Structure formats: C-alpha cells, structure tokens
C-alpha cells in the first residue's frame, strides 16, 4: 500500500533552525512507543568525562509534576549513570531503574494526572511526540511516533519522589539541544584514500571532549556505515587523550606494534582531523605504545602534516548551467557557451562536471539510438550519457581535445537518465537509467585531466537489491522509480529521491570489488514527506533539498536526520526542480528562473531574498557546481 502523507502535514510551515526541531505534527501516522522491557545497552560506548556543570536537583516543596519535569531535564546529563536524574527517585526506585536503553528524544512532553491524587501518592500519564533515538555511541536515528508511559510518585519525608519509573531514557528535545553537540568522527573509505565523517552526538558539558572522541574512533564506525568504510586502527586498540597545560593535546594509542608506516599516517589523519573539526586546540602530540606515532621529527602534528587526508572538499566557485539544451559557464559578465561538443547542439538535458572542471558527463536527447538490449529507443523520448572535456581552452588545445574525446561516445542509454554525479577524484560518474538501473561509469583520462585521450575503463549496473527490498517492504505496489541520484564528496554516501521521498544509502564494495548499495533508509519522512523534487550534497556534507511545497520549498538537512532547517522561501515559486551549492552561495531553479542566495552565518534568514543569477535571468536553466 502507498505510504500516506496526511494532508494536514503536507506543505506545513515549520520553522526549523536548531537540531531536532523537526516540526512533528501532533498526530503522527506511526506509533513508536518506548518499549517497557528490553535488554539494557549503553547509550554511549564510552564513559563521558567529568563535568563541572551543576545540575539542579529536586527543590523543597516541589509539586509532583515539577518533580517529574525536573527528572526529565536532569536525564540529559549522563555522568555517573545519570546520578543527577536519580536524585528525583526514591532510593528503591533509583536502585531498580535501568537507564541503559537507547534514549528516545521527545518533543513537547505532556504531563497529566491519572485520576485524583492522594495526599502522599500520585500517578501521572506522560506523552509526547518522538522525533529520534540516541543510540549506541551517540548515533542519531530519526523516529517519528508517539511516546506514552505512566509514572508514580509518593512522598518521602514530606517531599515528592518518583517511585515507579519505566526503564530507559527520555530526553526532551530542548534539553538535548542544550546538553549534546554533534561531532564528526573520521574513518576511511574502502580505498584508504579519503576520510569519511561519522556524525555522533556527545554530551557537551564535560570538561574535555578529546577522550570521548578518541573512544568513539577506537570503537569503529556505526553499523549502517560499516559496509562502506573502515579504519586503519587494528581491533583492540585503545586511545586516550588529554589537554596539555602548555596548549595542544596529547593522544596515547596502544596496540600499534604491528602497524605499517602507511597505516600510521592514516591513523594520524583520522585522529588529527577528528580533533580539528571538534575545535580541539592543537598541536597534537600522537604517541603509539610509548613512542611517537610517526617519527621523532613529527611528534607534534598539525593539519599540514595530514593535508593529504583533508576531508574538506576543494573550493569550487565556478557556476555552470544547462540552458536551452547547451552547457554554459556563468560569470559576472554573463553566460558563455561551451566551445566543445557540449555547447552546440541544444540536446543536453542535464550534466555534471568534475571537481577540477575538466570533464563533463552529460545526458542528451538521443534521436539516433537503436533499441539496444531493451534500453532506449530512437526518438526524442530516449536519452544517452556521454563524457568529454569541457572546452574552456584555446582553439589549438580545443581541437586536440575534441579528437581525443572521440566526439564523446555514448556510454549509457535509457528512456530516462538521472542527472550525472561525479566522484571526488573525477574518475567515476553515476546515473540511473529508467528509474531502476544504477550505472557506475569509471572514466580514464590521460596523464593530465585537461589533455590526453579519454575512455571508459569500466561500466556496470550496481547491485541495489538492499534498496529494492526495503522499498518492497515499505510499499509493495509502488513502482519505486529513482528520479535523482547524487553521490557525496566522500564517495561513500548516496542520496536519492524515489516517489518524492528522500532516501540515503551507503556505497560499499561487493562481489568482485564492484559497488553495491547498502543500508538504505528514508531521511525526510517527518519534514519533506513525498514532496521532494531535487537534491544535492553541500560542501559541509549536508543535503540541500528542493520540494514542490510552496510553504517549505527548500530544506538543508544533515545526513543522520538530526538537523533540518527550512530555508527562506522569499521570492521562490515552487516547485524547486534543481539545486546546487558552494561554500558561499546556494542555487536553485524554481518555476520561473535560476535563483541564488548568499550563505548567512546568522540563523535568521527570514529577511533574505532569493535573487536571479546574472546571465540567467528569466531562464529555467539547471545550475551546476563542479564537484
């Protein structure tokens, strides 16, 4: 059956600018009630560091409902097995309370009396909207549903205390936002060449954060990412970290006696970039089994020592566009058509350009294709993928490149092909044929990406059985066609739109080294529903999503679903059919033209207006940023 999106929620205006305020409606289509019995497991795979924060305890004369609210607020402080929250319980209840289950994050807790309270006993029904679960190791999983439970209180020495409390942790979203912070813990892609962020939520009110981050690094990636990423740290490794009195931090790693120098360099990259992106002050002294991790000359490390593993993508500010069927470069002076094979015939439907701007993968209308293996028929309803050089060079170089490209030979055909997406190193392009077949095309150039011959090294249909299985379980009668497929800069995550719904997945090596799609899950169920029309990855690893909702046409969303921001819709007319971004600018195509918005560090964007892009005024072009 179709997955319904209640009319009361479609297009709902929800202003979201801080983590987890996901705008959950009061009536939810799903019900995810906190289990009353389950085997306890730690919320974190590490022990939070000591905290100097003073958590308010129960106050003399508090009413029973005030004791309950104090308990929920104190539950956001995990130190010493939630010692602060246990102060609101009776001694017997405190001893019996199992606080180790996953923490359910609930928005707007409602506390109401259940029956008439007695002089020394009271029962309360507690309910709210569940918006996520904080799991093992600080992982966040979106979860829309409802929470309902019952709490009993009684007077102890004249003061109300909780005598019966369900096991597990309930965190109010406002308390969670104030006491937890998201950090990136860095692991390696399957090639060992790139760092991949694993976003974790850590208790922020501890004196130092280094040890928690290093414990998470030693424990490995979260389960859903594990098929696509790894670590240079061997199993059984232990890591401790501390701030130095003279500045910087010292990291002690044990268990690396058999690790190669190459892997030690990768470990250094994982550690240093994890700490840098957590705003931990350097330099970083890395020790392995009592000796410098690398060598004596590199005992103290900074970003420059591990720059080859810098997870931040290179800055790309050149804007391109597909306009009137041709590829153009956009500058302050206007639009300039590509002077190569992709700027003349007016048949281009979509395109992607490599990070260095040298190669373009384009989808064109194919009027000459034969019905090859059941894919693509001749005529205007057929599409073809071609790859070739972007011709922004002089005439002599341009002629040699055109010859080397072999007129950009057809690679993939289909009735429809999604907008091409490139890997970070510009060697692999992705597209989806007919909404079903995910194609991976490995393209090989000469010694220089802007010169020499180019050819397809390998091309195949990716195994996406895991995605198909989930979609069948969700809705066995839906056709499940992929209309957008975008690969992140890290090359490990993929985002896609299927029937207006946003999904993310992991690209992992499979049989014979071929890529496969793993760990698919829906991302935007709560705030986007089935209204998504376009998406792309942003430089910071979040997603920019365009929708057909006039009330909420543009969203910025973290890949774990924990943070969703509805961007200003001033001067935007839905639907938003294309999106792109740089570190400084956002680009969208609405129902009229291509618009841009300057990024603003302020959370208040309500007064900002989207403005037309010079050179593309009044044109419904497709904006493209090299990536």
């Amino acid at each position: 059956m179709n997955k319904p999106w209640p009319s009361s929620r479609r297009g709902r205006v929800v202003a979201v600018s801080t983590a987890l305020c996901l705008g959950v409606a009061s009536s939810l289509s799903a019900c995810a009630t906190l289990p009353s019995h389950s085997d306890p497991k730690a919320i974190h795979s590490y022990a939070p560091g000591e905290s100097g924060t003073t958590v308010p305890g129960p106050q003399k004369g508090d009413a029973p409902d005030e004791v309950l609210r104090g308990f929920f607020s104190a539950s956001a402080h995990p130190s010493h097995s939630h010692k602060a929250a246990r102060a609101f319980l009776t001694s017997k209840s405190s001893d019996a309370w199992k606080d180790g289950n996953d923490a359910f994050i609930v928005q707007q807790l409602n506390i109401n009396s259940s029956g008439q309270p007695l002089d020394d006993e009271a029962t309360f029904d507690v309910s709210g909207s569940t918006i996520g679960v904080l799991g093992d190791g600080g992982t966040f999983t979106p979860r829309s549903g409802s929470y309902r439970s019952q709490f009993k209180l009684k007077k102890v020495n004249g003061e109300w205390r909780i005598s019966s409390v369900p096991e597990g942790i309930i965190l109010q979203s406002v308390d969670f936002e104030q006491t937890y912070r998201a950090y990136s813990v860095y692991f390696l892609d399957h090639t060992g060449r790139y760092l991949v962020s694993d976003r974790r939520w850590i208790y922020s009110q501890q004196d130092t954060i280094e040890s928690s981050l290093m414990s998470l690094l030693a424990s490995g990636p979260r389960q859903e990412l594990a098929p696509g990423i790894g670590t240079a740290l061997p199993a059984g490794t232990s890591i401790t970290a501390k701030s130095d009195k003279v500045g910087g931090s010292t990291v002690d790693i044990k268990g690396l006696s058999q690790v190669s120098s190459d892997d030690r360099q990768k470990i250094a990259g994982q550690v240093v970039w994890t700490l840098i992106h957590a705003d931990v002050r350097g330099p970083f002294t890395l020790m392995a089994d009592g000796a410098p991790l690398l060598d004596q000359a590199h005992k103290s490390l900074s970003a420059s020592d591990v720059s080859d593993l810098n997870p931040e993508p290179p800055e790309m500010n050149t804007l391109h566009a597909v306009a009137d069927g041709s590829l153009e470069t956009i500058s302050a002076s206007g639009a300039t058509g590509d002077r190569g094979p992709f700027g003349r015939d007016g048949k281009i439907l979509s395109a992607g350009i490599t990070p260095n701007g040298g190669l373009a993968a384009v989808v064109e209308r194919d009027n000459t294709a034969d019905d090859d293996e059941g894919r693509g028929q001749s005529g205007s309803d057929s599409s073809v993928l071609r790859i070739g050089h972007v011709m922004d060079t002089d005439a002599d170089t341009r002629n040699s490149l055109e010859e080397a490209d072999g007129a950009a030979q057809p690679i993939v055909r289909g009735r429809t092909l999604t907008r091409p997406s490139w890997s970070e190193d510009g060697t692999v392009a992705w597209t989806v044929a007919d909404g079903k077949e995910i194609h991976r095309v490995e393209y090989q150039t000469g010694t220089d990406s802007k010169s020499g011959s180019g050819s397809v090294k390998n091309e195949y249909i990716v195994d996406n059985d895991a995605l198909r299985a989930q979609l069948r379980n969700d809705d066995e009668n839906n056709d499940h066609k992929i209309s957008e497929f975008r690969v992140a800069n890290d090359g490990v995550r993929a985002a896609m739109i299927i029937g207006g719904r946003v999904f993310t997945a992991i690209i992992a090596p499979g049989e014979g080294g071929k890529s496969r799609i793993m760990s698919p899950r829906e991302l935007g169920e709560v705030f986007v529903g089935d209204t998504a029309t376009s998406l792309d990855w942003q430089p910071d690893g979040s997603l920019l999503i365009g929708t057909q909702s006039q009330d909420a046409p543009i969203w910025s969303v973290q890949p774990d679903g924990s943070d969703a921001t509805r961007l200003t819709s001033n001067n935007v007319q839905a639907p938003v059919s294309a999106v792109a971004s740089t570190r400084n600018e956002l680009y969208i195509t609405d129902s009229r033209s291509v618009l841009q918005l300057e990024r603003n560090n302020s959370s208040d964007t309500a007064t900002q207006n989207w403005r037309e892009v010079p050179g593309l005024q009044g044109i419904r072009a497709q904006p493209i940023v090299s990536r």
Side-chain angles (χ1 to χ4, degrees), residues 359-598:
L359 288 174
V362 304
V363 173
E364 296 180 336
R365 288 189 300 272
D366 185 19
N367 299 323
T368 61
D370 295 325
D371 189 0
D372 181 19
E373 298 181 6
R375 273 184 270 149
Q377 295 181 347
S378 61
S380 59
D381 60 347
S382 180
S383 301
V384 62
L385 174 74
R386 304 177 191 269
I387 295 177
H389 287 87
V390 178
M391 304 301 180
D392 56 354
T393 55
D394 58 69
D396 292 337
T397 304
R398 187 163 66 250
N399 290 335
S400 64
L401 290 178
E402 287 181 359
E403 294 173 2
D405 279 341
Q409 294 298 314
I411 301 172
V412 179
R413 284 194 173 98
R415 291 190 179 277
T416 63
L417 295 174
T418 60
R419 178 168 52 123
S421 183
W422 280 100
S423 63
E424 183 177 4
D425 61 1
T427 62
V428 177
W430 300 77
T431 188
V432 179
D434 303 324
K436 300 287 187 179
E437 296 178 345
I438 302 173
H439 288 256
R440 181 187 186 275
V441 180
E442 188 173 357
Y443 194 81
Q444 182 173 274
T445 63
T447 57
D448 188 310
S449 63
K450 287 199 172 186
S451 65
S453 61
S455 62
V456 175
K457 184 178 180 181
N458 194 12
E459 186 269 325
Y460 58 85
I461 298 172
V462 175
D463 176 358
N464 67 341
D465 287 347
L467 175 63
R468 294 175 188 268
Q470 173 162 327
L471 292 172
R472 282 195 301 268
N473 291 337
D474 287 350
D475 185 356
E476 62 183 12
N477 296 319
N478 196 294
D479 196 24
H480 303 135
K481 287 192 174 182
I482 301 171
S483 58
E484 283 267 51
F485 186 87
R486 309 300 294 164
V487 177
N489 290 321
D490 58 32
V492 172
R493 291 180 174 91
M496 64 202 86
I497 296 176
I498 305 175
R501 297 156 58 192
V502 176
F503 288 81
T504 59
I506 304 304
I507 300 173
E511 185 177 351
K514 290 186 175 182
S515 297
R516 57 178 177 166
I517 301 299
M518 299 290 291
S519 305
R521 68 180 178 90
E522 188 168 1
L523 178 64
E525 179 180 6
V526 174
F527 43 89
V528 174
D530 59 0
T531 68
T533 50
S534 57
L535 59 73
D536 207 348
W537 295 94
Q538 301 191 79
D540 67 354
S542 63
L543 281 165
L544 187 63
I545 301 173
T547 79
Q548 60 183 335
S549 166
Q550 183 57 46
D551 292 330
I554 315 120
W555 290 85
S556 178
V557 183
Q558 288 295 337
D560 65 354
S562 62
D563 189 351
T565 303
R566 182 175 67 86
L567 302 182
T568 178
S569 59
N570 294 341
N571 201 36
V572 177
Q573 183 67 48
V576 174
S577 59
V579 296
S581 66
T582 67
R583 286 197 179 97
N584 301 316
E585 299 284 344
L586 302 175
Y587 301 98
I588 65 171
T589 302
D590 72 352
S591 64
R592 299 164 300 184
S593 61
V594 182
L595 306 174
Q596 65 182 20
L597 182 74
E598 184 178 358

Side-chain angles (χ1 to χ4, degrees), residues 92-301:
K92 183 178 179 180
S93 181
S94 177
D95 292 341
W97 182 40
K98 297 178 180 179
D99 63 341
N101 292 327
D102 292 347
F104 277 60
I105 301 166
V106 178
Q107 193 172 20
Q108 195 175 351
L109 275 178
N110 301 308
I111 299 176
N112 299 287
S113 297
S114 178
Q116 186 68 29
L118 303 176
D119 290 340
D120 59 354
E121 291 184 358
T123 302
F124 286 86
D125 294 322
V126 179
S127 62
S129 299
T130 305
I131 58 176
V133 178
L134 182 66
D136 188 34
T139 60
F140 179 91
T141 303
R143 179 81 59 85
S144 62
S146 63
Y147 166 74
R148 301 183 188 93
S149 198
Q150 195 172 78
F151 290 74
K152 295 182 179 180
L153 295 89
K154 70 178 184 179
K155 279 191 173 180
V156 177
N157 298 324
E159 299 294 337
W160 289 101
R161 295 293 182 265
I162 303 170
S163 58
S164 176
V165 56
E167 65 181 63
I169 299 294
I170 297 298
L171 300 181
Q172 297 181 95
S173 59
V174 63
D175 295 321
F176 180 78
E177 294 164 24
Q178 292 173 355
T179 55
Y180 283 77
R181 178 185 163 189
Y183 294 89
S184 289
V185 180
Y186 284 102
F187 297 97
L188 295 162
D189 77 330
H190 70 92
T191 70
R193 296 167 55 199
Y194 301 105
L195 290 181
V196 180
S197 168
D198 188 352
R199 184 175 164 93
R200 305 294 186 95
W201 288 88
I202 300 177
Y203 180 60
S204 61
Q205 298 184 21
Q206 50 188 302
D207 294 338
T208 61
I209 204 71
E210 297 98 315
S211 287
S212 292
L213 288 167
M214 294 299 99
S215 293
L216 289 173
L217 183 60
S219 65
R222 71 174 70 198
Q223 183 177 357
E224 68 183 60
L225 280 176
I229 65 176
T231 179
L233 291 163
T237 300
S238 65
I239 313 179
T240 59
K242 63 180 180 180
S243 299
D244 299 332
K245 293 181 179 180
V246 296
S249 299
T250 295
V251 179
D252 287 309
I253 311 173
K254 298 187 183 303
L256 301 186
S257 60
Q258 303 300 315
V259 174
S260 67
S261 58
D262 182 55
D263 280 347
R264 284 171 177 257
Q265 186 69 39
K266 293 174 182 177
I267 291 169
Q270 290 184 252
V271 170
V272 170
W273 285 113
T274 295
L275 294 175
I276 287 176
H277 283 181
D279 298 326
V280 175
R281 182 181 176 185
F284 307 102
T285 301
L286 272 57
M287 306 296 291
D289 302 306
L293 174 64
L294 301 183
D295 53 56
Q296 196 65 38
H298 295 88
K299 181 178 179 180
S300 183
L301 303 178

